[in-house]
């Protein structure tokens, strides 16, 4: 039995993740500017870190290997994985710090910059290559979705992660 999902294909699913994380970064920036409490800032930062950890994991386990295989563009995927490593190092630093510590907000801002640059490259290069390859992007979307659900439930709902797009939202867009 195949899973019914509200994403058109793998690129749509992954880019929806990007947009949700982008919203969380904007929320963090607002909290930073308005001097939100350490607890509030930490909650947003933890949500960002958890969402990105799952996102990078499903890309590395499922999407990147499929694009690598279909395009043979090792340099492109090696570069993307290096950028993931950079993000993981920043996530580890943020998770090892307290929100009242000097440099906490700057570290989250640095992660925001790194992720936004990575997302731009992913859209312009990896997603484009994937679309022009013979990859079954719809089939991949189901694999990505199922793996994401498994990782989310393993995380136990703390911190709360952005919810998935629903079929109703999809109808509104079309
Ligand atoms: Fe991504
Ligand atoms: Fe990525």
């Amino acid at each position: 039995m195949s899973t019914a999902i509200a994403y058109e294909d793998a690129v749509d699913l992954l880019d929806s993740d990007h947009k949700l994380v982008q919203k969380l970064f904007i929320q963090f920036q607002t909290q930073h500017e308005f001097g939100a409490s350490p607890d509030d800032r930490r909650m947003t930062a933890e949500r960002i870190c958890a969402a990105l950890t799952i996102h990078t994991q499903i890309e590395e386990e499922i999407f990147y290997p499929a694009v690598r295989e279909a395009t043979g563009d090792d340099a492109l995927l090696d570069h993307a994985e290096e950028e993931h490593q950079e993000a993981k190092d920043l996530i580890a630093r943020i998770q090892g710090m307290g929100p009242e510590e000097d440099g906490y907000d700057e570290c989250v801002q640095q992660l925001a910059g790194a992720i936004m640059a990575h997302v731009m490259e992913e859209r312009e290069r990896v997603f484009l290559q994937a679309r022009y390859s013979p990859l079954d992007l719809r089939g991949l979307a189901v694999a990505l979705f199922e793996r994401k659900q498994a990782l989310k439930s393993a995380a136990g709902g703390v911190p709360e992660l952005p919810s998935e797009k629903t079929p109703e939202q999809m109808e509104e867009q079309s």
Side-chain angles (χ1 to χ4, degrees):
M1 196 188 83
S2 69
T3 310
I5 60 170
Y7 299 99
E8 277 168 40
D9 61 17
V11 167
D12 181 35
L13 180 146
L14 293 171
D15 212 38
S16 298
D17 274 359
H18 295 157
K19 288 171 191 157
L20 290 168
V21 167
Q22 200 165 4
K23 276 189 195 158
L24 289 173
F25 277 126
I26 292 169
Q27 184 183 330
F28 186 88
Q29 185 57 27
T30 308
Q31 289 175 326
H32 168 77
E33 283 168 18
F34 287 89
S37 71
D39 275 354
D40 285 349
R41 284 183 292 111
R42 186 180 52 208
M43 182 48 69
T44 307
E46 279 180 0
R47 293 182 72 193
I48 290 169
C49 291
L52 282 175
T53 298
I54 292 178
H55 177 82
T56 51
Q57 192 173 340
I58 62 172
E59 282 186 342
E60 286 172 22
E61 285 182 2
I62 298 167
F63 188 68
Y64 285 2
V67 179
R68 190 186 284 272
E69 165 101 30
T71 66
D73 196 338
D74 287 328
L76 177 65
L77 280 311
D78 288 349
H79 177 71
E81 281 170 5
E82 277 164 29
E83 291 186 339
H84 278 197
Q85 192 51 54
E86 222 177 286
K88 285 178 201 173
D89 292 345
L90 283 165
I91 288 168
R93 252 172 76 192
I94 294 163
Q95 288 175 333
M97 281 174 99
E100 64 295 314
E101 274 181 68
D102 272 354
Y104 185 82
D105 286 14
E106 288 68 22
C107 208
V108 177
Q109 289 163 334
Q110 204 184 329
L111 179 64
I115 289 298
M116 288 313 135
H118 174 67
V119 164
M120 289 301 285
E121 283 190 36
E122 208 156 70
R123 283 177 181 154
E124 287 168 13
R125 304 190 58 200
V126 185
F127 289 174
L128 210 62
Q129 288 252 28
R131 282 213 191 279
Y132 285 110
S133 79
L135 269 181
D136 171 18
L137 290 176
R138 280 176 188 270
L140 266 184
V142 175
L144 288 165
F145 182 81
E146 286 175 346
R147 185 69 181 127
K148 185 154 72 146
Q149 293 309 107
L151 290 170
K152 273 176 139 180
S153 50
V158 182
E160 189 195 335
L161 291 164
S163 52
E164 299 299 327
K165 191 155 86 170
T166 63
E168 292 74 37
Q169 285 171 322
M170 214 184 166
E171 275 162 29
E172 279 165 27
Q173 280 171 8
S174 58

